[in-house]
Amino acid sequence: MKLYRYLMAAVVMAALFTGCRTRVEPYYPSGNQRPGGNSGQPSTPSTPQTDPELKENTTWQISYEGRKIVEGAYTEEIQVNNIPITQQYLVSVINKANYATYGGDLLAFFKNELANNSDYVYVGAPEVIQFSRFRHGTWFAFVIGLDADKKLTGEYAYCKFSVEEETPSEEYLSWLGDWTVSDGHISYDIQIEQEESNQVYRLYGWEVRDAAPSDWVQMDLEHLEAFFEPSDGRLYFVSQYITTYEDDDLDGAEVDELFLGVIDYDGITEEMGIYIVPDENIDLAYAEKDGEGKISVRPCNISVNVGNDRFEGKFFSMQYVYQEVKNGNWHYYNNDSVNFFDNAGGLNNVTMVKSKGGVSVTRNAVKRNGKASLIGEEKPLSGKVYQPRSGRVAKGAVRVK
């Protein structure tokens, strides 16, 4: 049976507006997506500390100010007020489903935020913080007090707020349905369903093939999240964490499953070949309507370190991969995929065509490598920093031997 690990991923965000406060630089690597975060390395346990006494500070204020437009993009605004100029703190935003996994243990939540998900420490207030768009439902926003040594004081403030789902636009709805994605060599029948109006889709069927070769692993137990961009009407494929489970083929070793971008490095100072870019929340490709009903899937540009060299170019493919949590080794589920480049190095014409019939997506809880179906589960969510697409930076690529 697959063991789920729901990571409590509330990331503290950088402020976009100046107030009466000082931002202290990050002091702990973020693990906001999965064990080890975006670094691709196993998590490092935090140093134990004496448990503080919890106390709500009713003079501190934190509030949700609604959806805003920043540089043409939709964001969510959180404001913090009435905090002394010398007081250090974290800010965490978490949805109801995520917080419910703590069973009401507020201190456990604070410890997890301090250990894994604190990108920034704030000092004093007022503070105006922009988050990426929240999905509909109930949310909690916390101020978590820290002392001079950046340890929990036990003081906190919070607010509870709700977000309503928007009415879907015709452009958003146009991407729903059954599609065939093909590079002329490999084809996937995929299904796109609504997840969050005007923002997120569920995508089933990537790396699922009819008449697949015997060594092909049908990725029919999971789904991706794809993202709608209102400003250009495109559908974006983004790198993301999927789940953590125990793999029977690795003697029960725990592995993280992800959907990541792949590059074809051809520089001169490192070993040439295919590399994985392990960073999450990176745009990998986008589907765009070219007119007359034709839709192309095009790779996004990527700039990333490969050893001591720098790769500047486009993604070669995007695939499901997994990493062993204990030793950090990376693996592909399948050695082939829909590719954006042909053997001569030219761009493939990857198309996306609306299907007339249904899609060949298996949604049974059939065991595969120790993993049961992921279908139909709610993904706990946390607030994430608002970053324009130009600000989403990949740290480095890794070679899979």
Side-chain angles (χ1 to χ4, degrees):
M1 179 182 297
K2 186 197 71 187
L3 300 182
Y4 294 106
R5 172 179 296 170
Y6 287 134
L7 304 175
M8 315 312 167
V11 182
V12 179
M13 309 308 174
L16 298 183
F17 299 89
T18 302
C20 301
R21 49 73 180 151
T22 302
R23 191 187 76 183
V24 181
E25 287 305 307
Y27 68 94
Y28 193 90
S30 172
N32 63 307
Q33 298 293 329
R34 59 188 174 91
N38 292 344
S39 66
Q41 299 299 325
S43 300
T44 301
S46 59
T47 303
Q49 68 178 74
T50 303
D51 289 344
E53 181 180 351
L54 294 178
K55 179 183 178 181
E56 183 179 0
N57 189 324
T58 57
T59 64
W60 293 358
Q61 297 176 1
I62 184 168
S63 61
Y64 170 60
E65 298 300 317
R67 189 159 291 168
K68 310 291 183 180
I69 297 179
V70 175
E71 298 178 351
Y74 289 100
T75 67
E76 312 282 358
E77 186 170 291
I78 297 291
Q79 291 189 9
V80 180
N81 287 288
N82 285 3
I83 294 182
I85 194 170
T86 59
Q87 176 65 58
Q88 298 190 103
Y89 58 94
L90 307 177
V91 174
S92 296
V93 182
I94 184 171
N95 76 342
K96 180 180 176 180
N98 199 341
Y99 185 72
T101 62
Y102 288 94
D105 191 339
L106 189 60
L107 183 59
F109 169 63
F110 290 168
K111 285 181 176 180
N112 190 77
E113 295 303 291
L114 180 64
N116 295 308
N117 305 311
S118 49
D119 280 352
Y120 290 89
V121 176
Y122 294 98
V123 182
E127 185 71 77
V128 179
I129 307 170
Q130 302 296 330
F131 288 75
S132 294
R133 288 176 60 181
F134 301 143
R135 303 186 194 185
H136 71 277
T138 301
W139 292 77
F140 299 91
F142 288 89
V143 172
I144 304 171
L146 303 177
D147 63 19
D149 296 322
K150 300 184 180 68
K151 295 181 180 180
L152 296 173
T153 65
E155 279 192 291
Y156 69 95
Y158 82 100
C159 71
K160 180 181 177 181
F161 62 93
S162 295
V163 176
E164 299 295 328
E165 187 167 19
E166 296 179 354
T167 301
S169 67
E170 289 299 319
E171 221 172 7
Y172 172 85
L173 293 173
S174 69
W175 290 106
L176 301 179
D178 301 341
W179 303 83
T180 298
V181 177
S182 177
D183 65 359
H185 170 60
I186 292 178
S187 297
Y188 306 142
D189 289 323
I190 65 172
Q191 183 173 9
I192 298 176
E193 298 178 355
Q194 180 171 330
E195 173 69 17
E196 182 72 18
S197 176
N198 301 334
Q199 184 183 1
V200 189
Y201 303 96
R202 284 191 177 202
L203 189 153
Y204 300 92
W206 195 266
E207 287 186 60
V208 177
R209 298 173 61 183
D210 291 330
S214 59
D215 60 347
W216 184 268
V217 179
Q218 296 280 39
M219 305 303 292
D220 51 14
L221 306 182
E222 44 272 284
H223 69 272
L224 301 172
E225 289 192 336
F227 295 83
F228 176 69
E229 177 51 59
S231 65
D232 56 25
R234 292 173 175 174
L235 173 75
Y236 279 86
F237 300 84
V238 176
S239 57
Q240 58 200 269
Y241 166 80
I242 305 298
T243 190
T244 298
Y245 65 94
E246 291 183 341
D247 195 314
D248 290 349
D249 289 350
L250 296 173
D251 297 324
E254 203 170 49
V255 302
D256 293 334
E257 179 180 345
L258 302 99
F259 183 73
L260 297 176
V262 175
I263 61 172
D264 187 3
Y265 170 76
D266 58 358
I268 63 172
T269 64
E270 306 295 330
E271 184 180 359
M272 293 186 186
I274 300 299
Y275 286 72
I276 289 174
V277 179
D279 299 87
E280 299 154 41
N281 197 35
I282 300 293
D283 289 333
L284 307 177
Y286 60 88
E288 184 174 48
K289 299 170 184 176
D290 297 335
E292 299 181 0
K294 181 183 177 184
I295 296 176
S296 296
V297 182
R298 299 186 174 98
C300 292
N301 292 315
I302 179 69
S303 176
V304 64
N305 290 329
V306 180
N308 295 317
D309 200 2
R310 189 77 177 170
F311 175 86
E312 304 274 354
K314 297 181 181 296
F315 281 105
F316 178 77
S317 67
M318 48 189 182
Q319 296 177 234
Y320 285 106
V321 299
Y322 63 99
Q323 182 187 32
E324 297 179 61
V325 172
K326 186 175 182 179
N327 58 30
N329 291 337
W330 288 94
H331 307 271
Y332 298 108
Y333 288 97
N334 295 299
N335 291 323
D336 201 357
S337 180
V338 166
N339 294 329
F340 296 116
F341 289 86
D342 58 29
N343 293 332
L347 276 174
N348 268 338
N349 181 27
V350 180
T351 59
M352 188 166 157
V353 179
K354 200 105 177 189
S355 304
K356 293 182 179 179
V359 294
S360 56
V361 178
T362 303
R363 301 200 186 186
N364 300 318
V366 178
K367 196 173 181 181
R368 184 187 71 235
N369 291 349
K371 180 170 62 174
S373 175
L374 312 177
I375 302 302
E377 295 182 4
E378 182 176 5
K379 179 185 289 186
L381 300 171
S382 298
K384 296 181 181 179
V385 63
Y386 166 66
Q387 288 182 316
R389 287 195 150 81
S390 60
R392 300 174 188 176
V393 180
K395 298 179 180 67
V398 292
R399 183 89 159 111
V400 180
K401 301 296 183 181

